[in-house]
Coordinates of all heavy atoms in Angstrom, one line a residue:
M1427 N 130.1 148.9 116.2 CA 130.4 147.5 116.3 C 129.6 146.8 115.3 O 128.3 147.0 115.2 CB 130.1 147.0 117.7 CG 130.6 145.6 118.0 SD 130.1 145.1 119.7 CE 131.6 145.7 120.5
P1428 N 130.1 145.9 114.3 CA 129.3 145.2 113.4 C 128.4 144.2 114.0 O 128.7 143.6 115.1 CB 130.4 144.6 112.5 CG 131.6 144.6 113.3 CD 131.5 145.7 114.3
A1429 N 127.4 143.9 113.3 CA 126.4 142.9 113.8 C 127.1 141.5 113.7 O 127.9 141.2 112.8 CB 125.2 142.9 112.9
K1430 N 126.7 140.7 114.7 CA 127.3 139.4 114.7 C 126.7 138.5 113.6 O 125.5 138.5 113.4 CB 127.0 138.8 116.1 CG 127.8 137.6 116.5 CD 127.5 137.2 117.9 CE 128.6 136.4 118.5 NZ 128.2 136.0 119.9
K1431 N 127.5 137.8 112.9 CA 127.1 136.9 111.9 C 126.5 135.6 112.5 O 127.0 135.1 113.4 CB 128.2 136.5 110.9 CG 128.6 137.6 110.0 CD 129.6 137.1 109.0 CE 129.9 138.2 108.0 NZ 130.8 137.7 106.9
L1432 N 125.4 135.2 111.9 CA 124.7 133.9 112.3 C 124.8 133.0 111.1 O 125.0 133.3 110.0 CB 123.3 134.2 112.6 CG 123.0 135.1 113.8 CD1 121.5 135.4 113.9 CD2 123.6 134.6 115.1
G1433 N 124.8 131.7 111.5 CA 124.8 130.7 110.5 C 123.4 130.6 109.8 O 122.5 131.4 110.1
R1434 N 123.3 129.7 108.9 CA 122.0 129.6 108.2 C 121.0 129.2 109.2 O 121.1 128.3 109.9 CB 122.1 128.5 107.1 CG 122.9 128.9 105.9 CD 122.8 127.8 104.9 NE 123.5 128.1 103.7 CZ 123.8 127.3 102.7 NH1 123.4 126.0 102.8 NH2 124.5 127.7 101.7
P1435 N 119.8 129.9 109.1 CA 118.7 129.5 110.0 C 118.2 128.1 109.5 O 118.2 127.7 108.4 CB 117.7 130.6 109.7 CG 118.1 131.4 108.6 CD 119.5 131.0 108.3
T1436 N 117.8 127.3 110.5 CA 117.3 126.0 110.2 C 116.2 125.6 111.2 O 116.1 126.1 112.3 CB 118.4 124.9 110.3 OG1 117.8 123.6 110.0 CG2 119.1 124.9 111.7
T1437 N 115.3 124.8 110.7 CA 114.2 124.3 111.6 C 114.6 122.9 112.2 O 113.9 122.3 113.0 CB 112.9 124.1 110.8 OG1 113.1 123.2 109.7 CG2 112.4 125.4 110.3
N1438 N 115.8 122.4 111.8 CA 116.3 121.1 112.3 C 117.8 121.2 112.6 O 118.6 120.7 111.9 CB 116.1 120.0 111.2 CG 116.4 118.6 111.7 OD1 116.5 118.4 112.9 ND2 116.7 117.7 110.8
P1439 N 118.1 121.9 113.7 CA 119.5 122.1 114.1 C 120.1 120.7 114.5 O 119.4 119.8 114.9 CB 119.4 123.0 115.3 CG 118.1 122.8 115.9 CD 117.2 122.5 114.7
R1440 N 121.4 120.6 114.2 CA 122.1 119.4 114.5 C 123.3 119.6 115.5 O 124.4 119.7 115.0 CB 122.6 118.8 113.2 CG 121.6 118.4 112.3 CD 122.1 117.8 111.0 NE 121.0 117.4 110.2 CZ 121.0 117.4 108.9 NH1 122.0 117.9 108.2 NH2 120.0 116.9 108.2
P1441 N 123.0 119.8 116.7 CA 124.0 120.1 117.7 C 124.9 119.0 118.1 O 125.9 119.2 118.7 CB 123.2 120.7 118.9 CG 122.0 119.9 118.8 CD 121.7 119.7 117.4
H1442 N 124.5 117.8 117.8 CA 125.3 116.6 118.3 C 126.2 116.0 117.1 O 125.7 115.8 116.0 CB 124.3 115.5 118.7 CG 123.4 116.0 119.7 ND1 123.7 116.3 121.0 CD2 122.1 116.3 119.7 CE1 122.7 116.7 121.7 NE2 121.7 116.7 120.9
K1443 N 127.4 115.8 117.5 CA 128.4 115.2 116.5 C 128.6 113.7 117.0 O 128.8 113.5 118.1 CB 129.7 116.0 116.6 CG 130.7 115.4 115.6 CD 131.9 116.3 115.5 CE 132.8 115.7 114.4 NZ 134.0 116.6 114.2
L1444 N 128.6 112.9 115.9 CA 128.8 111.5 116.2 C 129.9 110.9 115.3 O 129.9 111.2 114.1 CB 127.4 110.7 115.8 CG 127.4 109.3 116.0 CD1 127.6 108.9 117.5 CD2 126.0 108.7 115.5
S1445 N 130.8 110.2 115.9 CA 131.9 109.6 115.1 C 131.8 108.1 115.3 O 131.8 107.7 116.4 CB 133.2 110.3 115.6 OG 134.3 109.6 114.9
I1446 N 131.8 107.4 114.2 CA 131.8 106.0 114.3 C 132.8 105.3 113.5 O 133.3 105.9 112.5 CB 130.4 105.4 113.9 CG1 130.1 105.7 112.5 CG2 129.3 105.9 114.9 CD1 128.9 105.0 111.9
R1447 N 133.1 104.1 113.8 CA 134.0 103.3 112.9 C 133.2 102.1 112.3 O 132.4 101.5 113.1 CB 135.2 102.7 113.8 CG 136.0 103.8 114.4 CD 137.1 103.3 115.3 NE 138.0 102.4 114.7 CZ 139.2 102.7 114.1 NH1 139.5 104.0 114.2 NH2 140.0 101.9 113.5
I1448 N 133.3 101.9 111.0 CA 132.6 100.9 110.4 C 133.5 100.1 109.5 O 134.6 100.5 109.1 CB 131.4 101.4 109.5 CG1 131.8 102.4 108.4 CG2 130.3 102.0 110.4 CD1 130.8 102.8 107.5
N1449 N 133.1 98.8 109.2 CA 133.9 98.0 108.3 C 133.7 98.3 106.9 O 132.9 99.1 106.5 CB 133.6 96.5 108.6 CG 132.2 96.1 108.3 OD1 131.6 96.7 107.5 ND2 131.7 95.1 109.0
D1450 N 134.6 97.7 106.1 CA 134.5 98.0 104.6 C 133.2 97.7 104.0 O 132.7 98.5 103.1 CB 135.7 97.2 103.8 CG 137.1 97.7 104.2 OD1 137.2 98.9 104.7 OD2 138.0 97.0 104.1
S1451 N 132.6 96.6 104.3 CA 131.3 96.2 103.8 C 130.2 97.3 104.0 O 129.5 97.6 103.2 CB 130.9 94.9 104.3 OG 129.7 94.5 103.8
S1452 N 130.2 97.7 105.3 CA 129.2 98.7 105.7 C 129.4 100.1 105.0 O 128.5 100.7 104.5 CB 129.2 98.9 107.2 OG 128.8 97.8 107.8
K1453 N 130.7 100.4 104.8 CA 131.0 101.7 104.1 C 130.6 101.6 102.7 O 130.0 102.5 102.1 CB 132.5 102.0 104.2 CG 132.9 103.3 103.6 CD 134.4 103.5 103.8 CE 134.8 104.8 103.2 NZ 134.9 104.9 101.8
E1454 N 130.8 100.5 102.0 CA 130.5 100.2 100.6 C 129.0 100.3 100.4 O 128.4 101.0 99.5 CB 131.0 98.9 100.1 CG 130.7 98.6 98.7 CD 131.3 99.6 97.7 OE1 132.4 100.2 98.0 OE2 130.7 99.7 96.6
T1455 N 128.2 99.7 101.3 CA 126.8 99.7 101.3 C 126.3 101.1 101.4 O 125.4 101.5 100.7 CB 126.2 98.8 102.4 OG1 126.6 97.5 102.3 CG2 124.7 98.8 102.4
L1456 N 126.8 101.9 102.4 CA 126.4 103.3 102.5 C 126.7 104.1 101.3 O 125.9 104.9 100.8 CB 127.1 103.9 103.8 CG 126.8 105.3 104.2 CD1 125.3 105.5 104.4 CD2 127.7 105.7 105.3
E1457 N 127.9 103.9 100.7 CA 128.2 104.7 99.5 C 127.3 104.3 98.3 O 126.9 105.3 97.6 CB 129.7 104.4 99.1 CG 130.7 105.1 100.1 CD 132.1 104.7 99.8 OE1 132.4 103.9 98.9 OE2 133.0 105.3 100.5
V1458 N 127.0 103.0 98.2 CA 126.1 102.7 97.1 C 124.8 103.3 97.3 O 124.2 103.8 96.3 CB 126.1 101.1 97.0 CG1 125.0 100.7 96.0 CG2 127.4 100.6 96.5
Y1459 N 124.3 103.2 98.5 CA 122.9 103.8 98.8 C 122.9 105.3 98.4 O 122.0 105.8 97.8 CB 122.5 103.6 100.2 CG 121.2 104.1 100.6 CD1 120.1 103.4 100.5 CD2 121.1 105.5 101.0 CE1 118.8 104.0 100.7 CE2 119.9 106.0 101.3 CZ 118.7 105.3 101.2 OH 117.5 105.8 101.4
C1460 N 123.9 106.0 98.9 CA 124.0 107.4 98.7 C 124.0 107.8 97.2 O 123.4 108.7 96.8 CB 125.3 108.0 99.4 SG 125.2 108.0 101.2
N1461 N 124.8 107.0 96.4 CA 124.8 107.2 95.0 C 123.6 106.9 94.3 O 123.1 107.6 93.4 CB 126.0 106.4 94.4 CG 127.4 106.9 94.7 OD1 127.5 108.1 95.0 ND2 128.3 106.0 94.8
L1462 N 122.9 105.8 94.7 CA 121.6 105.4 94.1 C 120.5 106.4 94.3 O 119.7 106.7 93.5 CB 121.2 104.1 94.5 CG 121.9 102.9 94.0 CD1 121.5 101.6 94.7 CD2 121.7 102.7 92.5
H1463 N 120.5 107.0 95.5 CA 119.4 107.9 95.9 C 119.8 109.4 95.9 O 119.0 110.2 96.2 CB 119.0 107.5 97.4 CG 118.4 106.1 97.4 ND1 117.0 105.9 97.0 CD2 118.9 104.9 97.7 CE1 116.7 104.6 97.2 NE2 117.9 104.0 97.6
G1464 N 121.1 109.6 95.5 CA 121.5 111.0 95.5 C 121.5 111.8 96.7 O 121.0 113.0 96.7
V1465 N 121.8 111.2 97.8 CA 121.8 111.8 99.1 C 123.2 111.8 99.7 O 124.1 111.0 99.3 CB 120.8 111.2 100.1 CG1 119.4 111.4 99.6 CG2 121.1 109.7 100.4
N1466 N 123.5 112.6 100.7 CA 124.7 112.5 101.4 C 124.7 111.5 102.5 O 123.6 111.0 102.8 CB 125.2 113.9 101.9 CG 124.2 114.5 102.9 OD1 123.5 113.8 103.6 ND2 124.1 115.8 102.9
R1467 N 125.8 111.2 103.2 CA 125.9 110.2 104.2 C 125.0 110.6 105.4 O 124.3 109.7 106.0 CB 127.3 110.0 104.6 CG 128.1 109.2 103.6 CD 129.5 108.9 104.2 NE 130.3 110.1 103.9 CZ 131.6 110.1 104.1 NH1 132.2 109.1 104.7 NH2 132.3 111.2 103.8
T1468 N 125.0 111.9 105.8 CA 124.2 112.3 106.9 C 122.6 111.9 106.6 O 122.0 111.3 107.5 CB 124.3 113.8 107.2 OG1 125.6 114.1 107.5 CG2 123.4 114.2 108.3
T1469 N 122.2 112.2 105.5 CA 120.8 111.9 105.1 C 120.5 110.4 105.1 O 119.5 110.0 105.7 CB 120.4 112.5 103.8 OG1 120.6 114.0 103.9 CG2 119.0 112.2 103.4
A1470 N 121.4 109.7 104.6 CA 121.3 108.2 104.5 C 121.2 107.6 105.9 O 120.4 106.8 106.3 CB 122.4 107.6 103.7
I1471 N 122.1 108.1 106.8 CA 122.1 107.6 108.2 C 120.9 108.0 108.9 O 120.3 107.2 109.7 CB 123.4 108.0 108.9 CG1 124.6 107.3 108.3 CG2 123.4 107.8 110.4 CD1 126.0 107.9 108.6
E1472 N 120.4 109.2 108.7 CA 119.2 109.7 109.3 C 118.0 108.8 108.9 O 117.1 108.5 109.7 CB 118.9 111.1 109.0 CG 119.8 112.0 109.8 CD 119.5 113.5 109.5 OE1 118.9 113.8 108.5 OE2 119.9 114.3 110.4
R1473 N 117.9 108.4 107.6 CA 116.9 107.5 107.1 C 117.0 106.1 107.9 O 115.9 105.6 108.2 CB 117.0 107.3 105.6 CG 116.6 108.5 104.9 CD 116.7 108.3 103.4 NE 116.4 109.6 102.6 CZ 116.4 109.7 101.4 NH1 116.9 108.7 100.6 NH2 116.1 110.8 100.8
G1474 N 118.2 105.6 108.1 CA 118.4 104.4 108.8 C 117.9 104.5 110.2 O 117.2 103.6 110.8
I1475 N 118.2 105.6 110.8 CA 117.8 105.8 112.3 C 116.2 105.9 112.3 O 115.6 105.3 113.2 CB 118.4 107.0 112.8 CG1 119.9 106.8 113.0 CG2 117.8 107.5 114.2 CD1 120.7 108.0 113.3
K1476 N 115.6 106.5 111.3 CA 114.1 106.6 111.3 C 113.5 105.2 111.2 O 112.5 104.9 111.8 CB 113.7 107.5 110.1 CG 112.2 107.7 110.1 CD 111.7 108.6 109.0 CE 110.2 108.8 109.0 NZ 109.4 107.7 109.4
K1477 N 114.2 104.4 110.3 CA 113.7 103.0 110.2 C 113.7 102.3 111.6 O 112.8 101.5 111.9 CB 114.4 102.2 109.1 CG 114.0 102.6 107.7 CD 114.7 101.7 106.7 CE 114.1 102.1 105.3 NZ 114.4 101.1 104.3
L1478 N 114.8 102.5 112.3 CA 115.0 101.9 113.6 C 113.9 102.4 114.6 O 113.3 101.6 115.3 CB 116.3 102.2 114.2 CG 117.6 101.6 113.5 CD1 118.8 102.0 114.1 CD2 117.5 100.0 113.6
K1479 N 113.6 103.7 114.5 CA 112.6 104.2 115.3 C 111.2 103.7 115.0 O 110.4 103.3 115.9 CB 112.5 105.8 115.2 CG 111.5 106.5 116.0 CD 111.5 108.0 115.9 CE 110.5 108.6 116.7 NZ 110.4 110.1 116.4
D1480 N 110.9 103.5 113.7 CA 109.6 102.9 113.3 C 109.5 101.5 113.8 O 108.4 101.1 114.2 CB 109.5 103.0 111.7 CG 109.4 104.4 111.2 OD1 109.1 105.3 112.0 OD2 109.6 104.6 110.0
E1481 N 110.6 100.8 113.8 CA 110.6 99.4 114.3 C 110.3 99.4 115.7 O 109.6 98.5 116.2 CB 112.0 98.8 113.9 CG 112.0 97.3 114.3 CD 113.4 96.7 113.9 OE1 113.8 96.9 112.7 OE2 114.0 96.0 114.7
I1482 N 110.9 100.3 116.5 CA 110.7 100.3 117.9 C 109.2 100.6 118.2 O 108.7 100.0 119.2 CB 111.6 101.4 118.6 CG1 113.0 101.0 118.5 CG2 111.2 101.7 120.0 CD1 114.0 102.1 118.9
E1483 N 108.6 101.5 117.4 CA 107.2 101.9 117.7 C 106.3 100.9 117.3 O 105.0 101.0 117.6 CB 107.0 103.2 117.0 CG 107.8 104.3 117.6 CD 107.6 105.7 116.8 OE1 107.1 105.6 115.7 OE2 108.1 106.7 117.3
K1484 N 106.6 99.8 116.6 CA 105.7 98.7 116.2 C 105.2 97.9 117.4 O 105.9 97.7 118.3 CB 106.3 97.8 115.2 CG 106.3 98.4 113.8 CD 106.8 97.5 112.8 CE 106.8 98.1 111.4 NZ 107.3 97.3 110.4

């Protein structure tokens, strides 16, 4: 029996899927940010969530 294949090992698993609806303005802002900083949407959104967390902790 062949060994079971595993996905890429990670120290930051992402088991939760989130689906949202945003307006055109928010989508454009997200795309511009991603292009300017060379990141994907997931990374950009995670940065935004971190800023919210930092604000909560103040």
Side-chain angles (χ1 to χ4, degrees):
M1427 190 181 269
K1430 199 174 197 181
K1431 286 188 175 184
L1432 298 176
R1434 287 185 177 170
T1436 180
T1437 58
N1438 186 18
R1440 295 179 176 148
H1442 306 286
K1443 183 175 181 173
L1444 181 64
S1445 177
I1446 62 168
R1447 296 174 64 94
I1448 58 175
N1449 61 26
D1450 291 337
S1451 175
S1452 295
K1453 183 178 183 285
E1454 179 66 24
T1455 301
L1456 181 59
E1457 288 176 355
V1458 169
Y1459 180 89
C1460 290
N1461 289 331
L1462 285 174
H1463 295 278
V1465 297
N1466 61 29
R1467 285 185 273 183
T1468 300
T1469 301
I1471 292 167
E1472 285 179 339
R1473 288 178 183 179
I1475 292 170
K1476 184 180 182 322
K1477 285 188 176 195
L1478 292 173
K1479 183 180 177 186
D1480 292 345
E1481 185 178 311
I1482 290 170
E1483 292 173 352
K1484 284 184 179 180

